[in-house]
Amino acid sequence: MFLDFDGTLVEIAPSPEDVRLDRRVPGALDALSQRLGGALALVSGRPVAFLDRMTAPFRFDAAGLHGAQIRLGGEEAPLAAPSEALRAATRAMVRFANANIGVIVEDKRQSVALHWRLAPALADEAMELMERLAAEIGPSMRLQHGKAVAELVPATASKGGAIAWLMQQPAYRGRLPVFIGDDITDENGFATVNDAGGLSIRIGEGQTCARHRLASPTALHRILLGAADGGELTLETFLQN
């Protein structure tokens, strides 16, 4: 099982630091991880350290920063220093945020996101800035789009690639993958799982290659809590919610 975080385990919040995780969910995830023989990972655009804080005291396998950072079996997942080009782009993003109320820069070291959920009128201007910065940096980074956010991420990183790599590791190998996400950033993860004959589930509305949907993080919580309490975890379980 592979789970996105924002918009999947938690509702999207006005700013990245405002998210709140239902206090029952980390324990449920730990119970499910044990039930799955350890084959459960968080796959998110957030850094692994942030995911650890949100799910403490439990620690899970995790692919952070859209797959640029992977932790498996409790090993640490250090962050490399950002390039000078990315640091320069970050400074330009901060200047834009300082000049526009409601724009937020989320610096994750290896990737940097610009959020305008609180300033929707600035969407076009923000996107123009991010496209220009991505072009200036060149092929080492790519522009990742999301819900009122754009992010510069390492060109080789993707959630689909992270899932494919994890599926080759002992706890996951030979098993049916399930990936649950909510955004355009999750689409290549859905495609990877579809290619493997697995179960792809999108939370909420929007065009997607995921083959199934759930209405909300709350609907997912019901499934996870029920399964952790000994209930079934099958395709029918998801389709009934």
Side-chain angles (χ1 to χ4, degrees):
M1 178 172 286
F2 304 101
L3 296 160
D4 176 42
F5 187 77
D6 292 278
T8 300
L9 288 177
V10 298
E11 297 284 356
I12 296 291
S15 71
E17 295 303 318
D18 289 337
V19 296
R20 296 291 181 268
L21 180 61
D22 185 318
R23 59 183 178 80
R24 301 170 296 171
V25 169
L29 293 179
D30 183 63
L32 286 174
S33 180
Q34 294 182 45
R35 182 172 168 182
L36 294 170
L40 183 148
L42 305 180
V43 181
S44 171
R46 300 278 198 164
V48 169
F50 174 87
L51 299 174
D52 285 347
R53 289 198 302 273
M54 296 302 294
T55 60
F58 306 102
R59 285 163 61 95
F60 303 98
D61 289 349
L65 304 178
H66 304 283
Q69 183 190 26
I70 298 181
R71 180 182 63 213
L72 180 70
E75 295 294 327
E76 292 301 320
L79 287 172
S83 67
E84 178 53 41
L86 184 58
R87 284 196 291 264
T90 303
R91 290 193 291 270
M93 294 161 67
V94 169
R95 288 194 295 271
F96 180 75
N98 287 343
N100 292 283
I101 295 173
V103 176
I104 298 170
V105 176
E106 185 183 9
D107 186 353
K108 309 174 189 178
R109 284 178 57 87
Q110 286 181 313
S111 69
V112 187
L114 189 72
H115 298 261
W116 57 87
R117 180 170 297 275
L118 297 175
L122 294 171
D124 290 345
E125 192 174 349
M127 278 304 310
E128 288 177 7
L129 170 66
M130 295 301 288
E131 289 169 357
R132 175 175 63 80
L133 293 175
E136 290 175 355
I137 291 176
S140 65
M141 304 291 288
R142 64 179 174 84
L143 192 58
Q144 175 73 64
H145 301 276
K147 296 175 179 176
V149 60
E151 183 170 357
L152 294 168
V153 302
T156 57
S158 74
K159 291 184 180 181
I163 290 172
W165 184 85
L166 286 165
M167 286 299 297
Q168 298 303 312
Q169 309 312 306
Y172 301 84
R173 190 182 301 135
R175 307 182 76 164
L176 187 73
V178 176
F179 177 46
I180 306 173
D182 77 301
D183 199 354
I184 190 172
T185 63
D186 301 308
E187 289 298 315
N188 61 19
F190 294 145
T192 295
V193 167
N194 289 344
D195 289 344
L199 181 59
S200 55
I201 302 170
R202 174 157 174 152
I203 303 286
E205 300 300 321
Q207 186 175 354
T208 183
C209 69
R211 292 174 176 162
H212 306 280
R213 290 185 191 267
L214 285 171
S216 66
T218 299
L220 176 60
H221 292 172
R222 285 197 298 267
I223 293 171
L224 297 177
L225 293 169
D229 198 34
E232 292 187 350
L233 193 61
T234 65
L235 173 58
E236 287 70 27
T237 307
F238 290 101
L239 296 182
Q240 290 170 4
N241 286 267

